[in-house]
């Protein structure tokens, strides 16, 4: 008889935070015993519990591969992606899952990202060109030329999946609701550094009382970011431009007009 | 963002960093001046008054007063700003910290002038 499966079956206790919006008094932790293998992620464990123990646990997830940014939660006290955190690497016999700090709780492990996305929208996260952009069909359409060096200026910052882990780890985001937070500030740098972007007003968006200067360089955003974005670096780079230490010597990308009507009609 | 502001936040922070770094040097001189004599003597009335008569030392004292007041009260403004997000609170903090800054500089300068002119 082959018993290796049951012998190798290790178990952990999954401690899950439960709360319904507006009912703080009913907040509590539920504990579940979950079998796991070397490759089991915390998201797998939560889905196991939903399948076999308690289907009412609220979680948000989609891609299961650290791409969509939906499954952020505090795991053993640290903001992480549940789908990107293996139980075996945590090396604890109890694993605690809680909703992200600095976000309002909707239910259990699901938090409200409205304010977070608003901060992101406020920094105008899109290429602004005076004459039209690649996808601009109303105006002329252009092709932009960027060298690998031009791309390197912002590539790392463009890996952001908007998971909110950085904002959850940020002490200023915890006290100041109007502070844009590391995610939005790093994206501001991403567009500011892009040679296709011609906006002259980007830096002004965050140059106010609750803006970029309320970062006190705790650096925790960069520590928890699962995509290696290093938002703290983006913030410091932006500041060095705003203080005049770095000079804005960005050479705009060359634009070549694409005549889209050519093939269809001859005007 | 705020249309009524006199200085941009980046300009205020430039002042904050410059005063903070400059303060390190003048405060260092201030501490060293006390260490070059026995500690007890550095607290003697006559010794202190004689320091106030030394024009270079007076200039250092005045710059410590101005630099640390500007830096310190702006620092307190920064800390308090983050606590609440309302226009009324922000305006109150700005007025209180700037008034306190001016009052402290005025009172300290008066002390320096009086001690120097004794
Ligand atoms: C009087 C009380 C003081 C208060 C309330 C105060 C407050 C602050 C605050 C809030 C910051 C900004 C930190 C940040 O943005 O993360 C700061 C920065 C700084 N302070 Fe002060 N400070 C005081 C005294 C001093 C003194 C006496 C010195 C120098 C001898 C000094 C040197 C600096 C420097 C160099 C910085 C820039 C470094 C940084 O931003 O972290 N400060 N201070
Ligand atoms: S910067 Fe990193 S931690 Fe922050 S939202 Fe983007 S991917 Fe997530
Ligand atoms: S489920 Fe998409 S990032 Fe985890």
């Amino acid at each position: 008889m082959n018993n290796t499966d049951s012998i190798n079956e290790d178990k952990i206790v999954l401690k899950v935070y439960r709360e319904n919006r507006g009912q703080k008094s009913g907040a509590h932790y539920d504990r579940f015993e979950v079998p796991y293998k070397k490759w089991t992620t915390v998201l797998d464990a939560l889905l196991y519990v939903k399948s076999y123990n308690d289907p009412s646990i609220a979680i948000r997830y989609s891609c299961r591969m650290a791409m969509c940014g939906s499954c952020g939660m505090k795991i053993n006290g640290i903001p992480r992606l549940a789908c990107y955190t293996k139980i075996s690497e945590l090396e604890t016999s109890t694993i605690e899952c809680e909703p992200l700090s600095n976000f309002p709780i909707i239910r259990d492990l699901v938090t409200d990202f409205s304010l977070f996305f608003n901060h992101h929208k406020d920094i105008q996260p899109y290429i602004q060109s005076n004459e039209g952009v690649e996808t601009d069909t109303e105006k002329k359409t252009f092709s932009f030329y960027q060298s690998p060096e031009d791309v390197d200026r912002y590539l790392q910052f463009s890996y952001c999946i908007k998971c909110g882990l950085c904002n959850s780890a940020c002490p200023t985001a915890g006290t100041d609701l109007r502070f844009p937070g590391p995610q939005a500030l790093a994206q501001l740098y991403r567009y500011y550094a892009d040679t296709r972007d011609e906006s002259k007003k980007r830096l002004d968006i965050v140059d106010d009382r609750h803006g970029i200067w309320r970062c006190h360089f705790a650096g925790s955003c960069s520590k928890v970011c699962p995509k290696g974005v290093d938002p703290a670096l983006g913030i410091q780079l932006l500041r060095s431009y705003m203080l005049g230490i770095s000079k804005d010597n960005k050479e705009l990308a060359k634009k070549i007009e694409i005549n889209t009507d050519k093939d269809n009609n001859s005007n | 963002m705020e249309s009524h502001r006199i200085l941009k936040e980046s300009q205020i922070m430039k002042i904050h960093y410059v005063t903070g770094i400059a303060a390190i040097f003048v405060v260092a001189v201030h501490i060293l001046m006390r260490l070059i004599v026995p500690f007890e003597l550095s607290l003697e009335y006559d010794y202190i008054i004689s320091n106030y008569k030394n024009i270079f030392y007076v200039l250092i004292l005045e710059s410590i007063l101005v630099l640390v007041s500007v830096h310190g009260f702006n620092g307190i403004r920064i800390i308090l700003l983050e606590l609440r997000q309302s226009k009324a609170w922000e305006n109150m903090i700005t007025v209180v910290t700037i008034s306190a800054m001016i009052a402290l500089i005025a009172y300290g300068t008066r002390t320096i002038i009086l001690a120097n002119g004794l």
Side-chain angles (χ1 to χ4, degrees):
Chain A
M1 217 164 68
N2 190 346
N3 251 348
T4 45
D5 264 341
S6 55
I7 290 168
N8 288 345
E9 185 130 300
D10 292 324
K11 289 192 168 173
I12 46 104
V13 173
L14 200 64
K15 198 176 149 199
V16 183
Y17 182 86
R18 309 298 302 271
E19 183 194 320
N20 230 338
R21 172 142 58 185
Q23 295 171 17
K24 194 108 202 150
S25 54
H28 64 280
Y29 289 89
D30 280 337
R31 288 161 175 274
F32 306 95
E33 215 178 47
V34 184
Y36 75 100
K37 301 270 193 228
K38 204 166 71 186
W39 52 82
T40 309
T41 65
V42 174
L43 181 62
D44 294 333
L46 282 162
L47 292 174
Y48 176 94
V49 170
K50 272 177 83 71
S51 301
Y52 299 108
N53 303 94
D54 183 349
S56 73
I57 297 176
I59 53 174
R60 181 164 48 211
Y61 69 99
S62 176
C63 69
R64 307 187 190 201
M65 52 194 283
M67 294 277 288
C68 71
S70 337
C71 67
M73 60 183 70
K74 270 191 304 183
I75 298 169
N76 285 355
I78 294 172
R80 310 182 216 237
L81 295 178
C83 70
Y84 200 49
T85 307
K86 283 199 295 248
I87 285 172
S88 51
E89 81 198 18
L90 289 169
E91 293 175 343
T92 50
S93 54
T94 302
I95 290 171
E96 196 176 77
C97 297
E98 295 167 304
L100 288 177
S101 306
N102 303 347
F103 288 87
I105 295 170
I106 296 176
R107 192 155 76 89
D108 303 342
L109 303 177
V110 179
T111 46
D112 185 350
F113 269 46
S114 316
L115 184 64
F116 174 78
F117 289 137
N118 281 341
H119 281 312
H120 178 65
K121 285 181 200 146
D122 284 346
I123 61 98
Q124 305 171 354
Y126 40 84
I127 303 280
Q128 295 176 27
S129 167
N130 298 332
E131 293 169 274
V133 295
E134 272 175 316
T135 52
D136 201 338
T137 46
E138 299 269 301
K139 297 188 198 165
K140 292 177 211 161
T141 300
F142 291 92
S143 218
F144 291 87
Y145 284 81
Q146 285 192 309
S147 65
E149 291 75 32
D150 290 340
V151 176
D152 279 346
R153 289 165 61 103
Y154 65 84
L155 185 63
Q156 165 187 355
F157 300 98
S158 71
Y159 291 143
C160 172
I161 56 171
K162 289 124 202 117
C163 62
L165 300 192
C166 52
N167 279 41
S168 174
C170 171
T172 306
T175 46
D176 190 339
L177 294 177
R178 288 183 56 204
F179 178 60
Q183 189 275 337
L185 290 170
Q187 291 314 295
L188 182 75
Y189 181 73
R190 179 251 171 274
Y191 288 96
Y192 179 74
D194 195 315
T195 56
R196 293 168 296 182
D197 189 76
E198 290 174 30
S199 171
K200 291 267 174 265
K201 300 198 189 95
R202 281 201 184 279
L203 298 184
D204 288 339
I205 303 172
V206 294
D207 196 0
D208 78 347
R209 285 173 181 169
H210 296 276
I212 189 167
W213 305 101
R214 298 296 84 87
C215 161
H216 307 294
F217 212 86
S220 28
C221 50
S222 298
K223 210 164 175 191
V224 299
C225 177
K227 305 301 283 187
V229 170
D230 199 351
L233 172 67
I235 295 174
Q236 297 310 309
L237 289 171
L238 273 179
R239 279 179 167 182
S240 73
Y241 284 105
M242 294 169 90
L243 291 174
I245 296 167
S246 300
K247 291 279 168 285
D248 181 11
N249 51 7
K250 178 166 89 175
E251 267 184 42
L252 291 177
K254 261 206 218 88
K255 281 192 274 192
I256 311 282
E257 192 179 334
I258 304 167
N259 195 344
T260 42
D261 327 302
K262 220 180 197 168
D263 304 332
N264 305 331
N265 54 50
S266 52
N267 57 0
Chain B
M1 293 267 120
E2 292 126 39
S3 50
H4 60 269
R5 67 190 177 181
I6 302 164
L7 291 173
K8 281 187 182 183
E9 196 65 21
S10 53
Q11 291 168 316
I12 299 176
M13 292 312 287
K14 222 177 265 181
I15 295 171
H16 192 75
Y17 296 140
V18 169
T19 51
I21 293 166
I24 295 174
F25 294 101
V26 281
V27 169
V29 174
H30 176 55
I31 293 169
L32 288 175
M33 285 290 275
R34 299 204 43 206
L35 294 181
I36 53 176
V37 293
F39 183 73
E40 289 296 315
L41 176 61
S42 78
L43 293 175
E44 292 281 326
Y45 180 81
D46 290 334
Y47 178 77
I48 290 168
I49 292 299
S50 73
N51 273 339
Y52 273 113
K53 306 269 183 202
N54 177 342
I55 186 65
F56 294 108
Y57 194 64
V58 162
L59 288 177
I60 283 180
L61 283 182
E62 182 66 24
S63 54
I64 290 176
L65 177 64
V66 173
L67 293 172
V68 176
S69 299
V70 170
H71 178 90
F73 282 110
N74 185 48
I76 291 171
R77 182 191 70 97
I78 293 170
I79 295 164
L80 295 178
L81 259 188
E82 280 167 29
L83 293 184
R84 286 191 213 169
Q85 293 83 53
S86 85
K87 273 265 130 34
W89 171 258
E90 289 172 21
N91 292 340
M92 194 266 281
I93 293 303
T94 308
V95 170
V96 167
T97 48
I98 292 178
S99 315
M101 183 193 299
I102 293 169
L104 186 69
I105 292 174
Y107 184 75
T109 306
R110 175 182 163 275
T111 307
I112 291 174
I113 291 170
L114 284 182
N116 177 262
L118 266 178

